[in-house]
Amino acid sequence: MNKHIEKAMELRNETPMVSNCSQTIMRCYAEDMGISEEMAAGLGCNFGGGMKCGGVCGAITGGLMVLGAKGVENPAKVNEFRRKIAENHDGMVNCVDLLRANAARGGNKKEHCDKMIQEAITLIDEMV
């Protein structure tokens, strides 16, 4: 398992869990981005739960912020990141849709979100 995924799962298994999907990804890369974990958590706080309204998944938005911090801003590369995740989830990128589909399959919310985080981290690490 890579160091970013290990860190993410440590954060997701904290009791109580205080980091949403976006914050988790941001905190995992804080050192790489030259910021504190507190700053990373602050930057990601409003992107969990699909920007707190069911919009684009926080793992995706967190991943896009990390990619931007690492200099990946080419529209084709950014779209590739989003597209690859969407392809793995029947075209869905919105939190509300992803969670609804997961629930319909009888899935657990935390496990689903943990997998979305792992998927985003894997793609980030492949792209940079």
Side-chain angles (χ1 to χ4, degrees):
M1 190 176 297
N2 83 28
K3 71 177 185 173
H4 295 119
I5 290 176
E6 286 178 16
K7 171 77 172 176
M9 293 307 99
E10 285 175 21
L11 294 170
R12 296 289 295 172
N13 290 320
E14 288 178 337
T15 304
M17 183 175 56
V18 296
S19 294
N20 66 41
C21 296
S22 183
Q23 288 175 306
T24 299
I25 290 176
M26 293 293 289
R27 288 179 66 189
C28 290
Y29 290 92
E31 185 178 333
D32 297 355
M33 295 186 295
I35 61 174
S36 69
E37 279 196 42
E38 293 75 22
M39 175 62 76
L43 290 168
C45 73
N46 291 320
F47 292 92
M51 295 177 275
K52 296 187 176 184
C53 66
V56 176
C57 167
I60 296 171
T61 55
L64 290 171
M65 285 189 278
V66 169
L67 288 172
K70 291 181 162 279
V72 177
E73 55 185 89
N74 176 301
K77 293 299 277 182
V78 170
N79 190 50
E80 176 187 350
F81 178 82
R82 188 208 53 79
R83 182 183 45 76
K84 282 185 175 183
I85 292 178
E87 286 174 357
N88 292 334
H89 301 279
D90 299 320
M92 294 178 281
V93 294
N94 285 345
C95 181
V96 67
D97 298 326
L98 291 161
L99 289 175
R100 188 177 295 127
N102 179 63
R105 291 188 304 272
N108 171 285
K109 180 183 180 211
K110 182 183 179 307
E111 290 173 11
H112 165 78
C113 293
D114 288 352
K115 288 178 184 174
M116 292 298 296
I117 290 166
Q118 291 175 19
E119 184 177 339
I121 289 171
T122 299
L123 278 173
I124 292 166
D125 289 349
E126 287 174 3
M127 294 178 79
V128 292

